[in-house]
Amino acid sequence: MAAPDVTVPKTSMTSNPHLMKWIEDCARLAKPDRIVWCDGSEAEKERLTKEAVDAGILMPLNQQKWPGCYLHRSNPNDVARVEHLTFICTPNKVDAGPTNNWMDPDEAYTKLANHFDGSMKGRTMYVVPYVMGPIGSPFSKIGVELTDSIYVALNMRIMARMGRQALEMLGSSNDFNRGLHCTGDINPERRFICHFPQDNTIWSFGSGYGGNVLLGKKCLALRIGSYLGREEGWLAEHMLILGVTSPQGETTYVAAAFPSACGKTNFAMMIPPKEYTGWKIETVGDDIAWMRVGPDGQLYAINPEAGYFGVVPGTNNKTNPNAMASIRKDTIFTNVAVTEDGEPWWEGKDGEVPERLTDWQGRPWVKGSAEKAAHPNSRFTAPAANNPALSPKVNDPQGVPISAIIFGGRRSNTVPLVLQAFNWTHGVFLGATMGSETTAAATGKVGVVRRDPMAMLPFCGYNMGDYFQHWLDMQKSIDKLPKIFQVNWFRQDSNGKFIWPGFGDNMRVLKWVLDRVAGRVAGKETLLGWVPKQGDLDVRGLDISKEALAEATSIKEEEWKTELKSQETFFEQLGSKAPEALLLQRKLLLARLEG
Ligand code: OXD
Ligand code: MN
C-alpha cells in the first residue's frame, strides 16, 4: 500500500501504539490534508468556533442575549436519523436480528472503504478522543472519533468528556471504540451508518446529522453499548435518569424509556406543580442510561453523556424552564429559525410569533406561512452543566441506585395513563410490547404506530429476541429489583386533544410510582397490571374533569384485542428468538381478556 501522504502529528497527550496505528490506517484511506488532535481545551473551542464561523458552518446568534450560542444549518436532505441506512454488521445475520438492517462485515468494510477512499482530500481530519461516562468510572467506555467535520468536533466536546482526559484514561490500552466519520458529499445515495460490534468499530459516511455522526451517542452508547452490555452483563438503554427528592429529603432515582422526541428531556428536567412544594427533580441524564448491578446487588445507572442533544420545537418556559435555562449560553442550535435580531426561534417558543424570520433553510419567512420556520427535528446541543436542575450525582463513578423503571410510548389510544407490572417478567413484557407513534427524529412518515420495544427499536445493536432474554436474565443478578411501570402521556379524546396535561403535571404520576415503590399505597389489580386506586392519583389543583380522567386511565378490551394481535405479529417476526416467558405473558393476557 502507498505510504500515507500525511503523517499523524506527534502529541504530548498520547503515544498509544494501537491508536496511532489505527489513525494512520484511516488517514491512508481517507487521505486528509491535515490531522488535528482535539484536546478539549477552551482555547481549542475558541479556535475551532472561529474557523467554523469563517467557513460559514456556524453562524453567531445574538451574543448579547445568547452568549456563546451559534446556529448551524444542515443540508435539507440531512435533518434526522436514517434508520433505513443504519446497519449492524455481524458475521451472522441472525445476530443482528429481523429488526435491524444487516450487512456482512467484509462487504460493509469494502463498500464503505470505496466511499472513504480519498474522501478527506482537501479537508482536515479531527481526532476526537472521548469518554462516555464519568472519568474513572467502571461503567465508562472510551471512544475515538475521526471526523472531517468541525461541527462534529464542537458538538462532541459538549456531548462527551472529550480530549486529553480521554487519552489519559485510555493510557496504552487497545480497548477503545474506533469511529470513522466523513461527511462526504451528503448524498443520501452514499449514506451509511455501519456498526461492527465484534470489532467495537463504527463507520459513518455521508451525513452531518447528530444522531448519525456524533458517534458516542446512538452508535456507541446504544448500539455497540447494548451489544457490549449483553456480553458483559449490563444494560445500555434509551432512558432518562432522574432523582426525585421529597420534602423529607429522601431521594429516589428513576430511569424511564420513551422513544425519540417523546419528552424524555422534559421529564428529566420537570418542575413539579405548585401543589408539590418542597419536592425537587434533578436530572442525571435525558437520553441514555447504562445500568449495572452494584456490589450491594442493586441496579445502578450512569448517564454516559455530558450534554443534551434535544428537540427544540415546543420547548418554552412552561413546558421546560430548565431546558430554556440550559440553552441560554454556549449552545449550538441546528436548523432553527432566526429573528431579525439574531435570536433563535422555533415553533412553540414563548412570546409572540415574529412578523418576519429567516427559516431553518435560510429563506425569508413571514408570519402565517404554511411552512414551519424551524425544522420539526431542529436541535440544541447544550452542556449539561448549564442545567439548573443538574443532579449532584451526575459525575459519580458509581452511578445512582434505580428504584423504578418506566416505559412510555406515544399512543393516542389503548394504553392507560399509568400501570405497574405484576413482577419483573411482566415488566419486561410491558417494555417489550411498547408501541409508539413515529416522530420527526427519524426520516419517514410521522404518526404511524409501530412496535418500539423499550424505545430501543432503532438502537438495539443485536437480535431483539436475545435482547429481551438478556433483560429477563438480569433478574437473577439483581437482589433488589426496580419496580417496572408503563405510562402514556399522549392519549387523546374524540376531538384529538391530549387528555392528560403532561409536562410538570407528570409529577402526579411519578408520585404514585414513588408511593408504590415505597409500599405506601395499595394498587388496584386490572387485566393489564396494577393501577391507582380511586383517589390515589393526586389531581389536586388540576383542571381535569372526572370523565376525562376516567378516559385517560380507561382500559378498553376491544382496543386491547387489536393491540395483542399487533404484538403477536411482532413476536412472530422474532421467530425462535422470542423468549417463551414473554410469549406466555401474552397468552396469559389474552386469556384474561377473553376469560
Ligand atoms: C435522539 C434520538 O437524538 O433519539 O436522542 O433521536
Ligand atoms: Mn434519543
Side-chain angles (χ1 to χ4, degrees):
M1 203 175 274
D5 297 325
V6 58
T7 45
V8 181
K10 289 217 170 341
T11 169
S12 63
M13 294 189 291
T14 184
S15 57
N16 183 314
H18 313 286
L19 179 58
M20 292 299 179
K21 158 98 178 47
W22 171 66
I23 300 173
E24 266 166 33
D25 289 346
C26 291
R28 192 171 295 138
L29 176 65
K31 305 180 181 59
D33 278 14
R34 263 173 318 284
I35 299 177
V36 169
W37 287 90
C38 291
D39 62 14
S41 66
E42 260 317 301
E44 173 182 273
K45 177 188 160 190
E46 276 173 33
R47 177 172 53 78
L48 293 183
T49 303
K50 182 170 180 321
E51 277 178 36
V53 170
D54 291 347
I57 295 164
L58 291 183
M59 205 179 94
L61 291 163
N62 184 321
Q63 294 297 299
Q64 273 76 49
K65 295 183 178 158
W66 299 80
C69 292
Y70 293 85
L71 167 67
H72 172 72
R73 288 196 187 112
S74 75
N75 188 306
N77 80 26
D78 187 32
V79 293
R81 283 183 292 98
V82 280
E83 293 178 7
H84 60 297
L85 303 173
T86 298
F87 293 84
I88 303 296
C89 307
T90 41
N92 297 312
K93 187 170 183 188
V94 66
D95 293 328
T99 60
N100 282 311
N101 301 309
W102 175 81
M103 230 194 283
D104 173 77
D106 290 341
E107 184 195 332
Y109 279 130
T110 307
K111 187 173 189 144
L112 267 74
N114 278 330
H115 295 318
F116 275 110
D117 191 1
S119 61
M120 294 194 192
K121 270 190 192 149
R123 301 186 187 181
T124 301
M125 177 192 268
Y126 298 94
V127 181
V128 183
Y130 62 93
V131 183
M132 298 308 287
I135 300 294
S137 165
F139 289 72
S140 297
K141 298 280 178 198
I142 295 165
V144 181
E145 177 165 355
L146 306 180
T147 175
D148 65 342
S149 164
I150 204 166
Y151 168 82
V152 168
L154 285 165
N155 272 269
M156 285 295 285
R157 187 181 186 280
I158 299 174
M159 293 306 297
R161 288 129 176 121
M162 190 271 257
R164 182 179 293 274
Q165 51 190 332
L167 294 172
E168 276 166 10
M169 194 170 151
L170 180 64
S172 57
S173 166
N174 192 17
D175 185 10
F176 63 95
N177 180 271
R178 290 154 159 81
L180 176 61
H181 165 248
C182 179
T183 318
D185 53 1
I186 325 239
N187 177 352
E189 301 296 316
R190 285 155 42 91
R191 185 172 295 160
F192 294 96
I193 322 297
C194 287
H195 304 72
F196 303 88
Q198 75 286 0
D199 299 339
N200 198 4
T201 291
I202 305 155
W203 281 18
S204 166
F205 191 89
S207 171
Y209 172 72
N212 301 327
V213 301
L214 307 180
L215 298 185
K217 191 174 178 63
K218 301 300 178 183
C219 300
L220 170 53
L222 288 178
R223 297 196 190 96
I224 300 277
S226 58
Y227 173 92
L228 295 175
R230 177 168 177 243
E231 302 248 298
E232 298 167 4
W234 53 278
L235 295 165
E237 299 301 327
H238 194 201
M239 291 182 179
L240 66 94
I241 310 162
L242 61 78
V244 46
T245 304
S246 70
Q248 292 72 38
E250 184 195 19
T251 303
T252 309
Y253 294 94
V254 173
F258 294 82
S260 309
C262 288
K264 280 195 296 301
T265 308
N266 293 339
F267 195 51
M269 296 183 182
M270 174 170 63
I271 295 188
K274 59 180 186 321
E275 291 77 18
Y276 283 76
T277 314
W279 287 85
K280 188 171 64 180
I281 304 276
E282 287 171 322
T283 320
V284 180
D286 82 324
D287 194 42
I288 298 173
W290 282 357
M291 301 194 283
R292 277 175 190 260
V293 185
D296 61 358
Q298 284 196 77
L299 192 63
Y300 283 80
I302 60 145
N303 168 17
E305 302 190 280
Y308 309 121
F309 182 64
V311 177
V312 186
T315 306
N316 59 50
N317 281 314
K318 269 211 211 76
T319 58
N320 194 339
N322 287 320
M324 288 304 285
S326 304
I327 63 182
R328 226 35 231 211
K329 60 174 186 180
D330 302 326
T331 292
I332 300 173
F333 289 87
T334 302
N335 292 338
V336 293
V338 205
T339 67
E340 289 177 319
D341 197 19
E343 294 198 62
W345 193 87
W346 53 89
E347 278 72 17
K349 193 182 178 194
D350 300 285
E352 289 290 301
V353 177
E355 292 298 328
R356 247 174 286 285
L357 291 164
T358 303
D359 81 357
W360 66 278
Q361 297 188 64
R363 304 172 307 189
W365 182 97
V366 288
K367 188 172 172 176
S369 162
E371 290 202 37
K372 302 257 190 245
H375 189 275
N377 191 37
S378 49
R379 297 282 179 147
F380 55 76
T381 317
N386 283 0
N387 177 5
L390 190 64
S391 166
K393 293 279 191 185
V394 80
N395 289 316
D396 189 328
Q398 302 313 320
V400 295
I402 296 297
S403 299
I405 292 174
I406 300 176
F407 293 114
R410 175 187 286 268
R411 295 299 298 270
S412 50
N413 51 45
T414 313
V415 180
L417 183 62
V418 60
L419 55 88
Q420 182 188 352
F422 295 123
N423 53 42
W424 182 263
T425 307
H426 183 235
V428 174
F429 172 74
L430 291 183
T433 53
M434 229 170 97
S436 196
E437 288 151 27
T438 49
T439 67
T443 48
K445 203 163 180 316
V446 167
V448 183
V449 177
R450 65 173 184 181
R451 311 264 38 114
D452 189 354
M454 283 131 170
M456 282 288 279
L457 182 73
F459 307 121
C460 183
Y462 61 104
N463 190 303
M464 192 57 91
D466 291 332
Y467 168 75
F468 293 157
Q469 190 59 53
H470 179 44
W471 261 87
L472 292 167
D473 291 344
M474 285 298 288
Q475 177 173 15
K476 294 188 211 94
S477 47
I478 309 171
D479 290 339
K480 198 170 163 218
L481 286 164
K483 303 272 187 284
I484 301 183
F485 298 80
Q486 183 179 49
V487 300
N488 178 22
W489 315 138
F490 298 96
R491 204 147 177 188
Q492 294 177 9
D493 64 16
S494 50
N495 299 318
K497 254 191 78 202
F498 291 119
I499 305 173
W500 181 250
F503 303 107
D505 286 310
N506 292 336
M507 177 68 207
R508 300 166 187 279
V509 173
L510 184 56
K511 172 69 169 44
W512 184 74
V513 166
L514 299 181
D515 285 342
R516 288 293 293 164
V517 165
R520 281 191 289 262
V521 290
K524 178 176 151 205
E525 190 176 335
T526 69
L527 303 174
L528 302 180
W530 300 96
V531 302
K533 282 177 45 196
Q534 182 90 37
D536 278 350
L537 189 65
D538 177 9
V539 289
R540 282 173 303 146
L542 198 60
D543 183 19
I544 187 167
S545 68
K546 256 208 179 104
E547 294 71 33
L549 190 61
E551 181 65 16
T553 52
S554 66
I555 296 167
K556 297 183 181 160
E557 297 195 0
E558 280 319 304
E559 287 180 343
W560 276 93
K561 285 186 182 153
T562 312
E563 185 72 4
L564 258 77
K565 275 258 161 310
S566 155
Q567 293 178 3
E568 184 180 26
T569 312
F570 179 71
F571 281 135
E572 274 170 7
Q573 202 193 343
L574 299 181
S576 61
K577 289 280 189 184
E580 275 303 322
L582 297 189
L583 298 180
L584 193 60
Q585 286 292 329
R586 194 189 146 272
K587 279 198 192 131
L588 286 170
L589 175 52
L590 193 62
R592 291 197 293 272
L593 264 170
E594 289 179 344

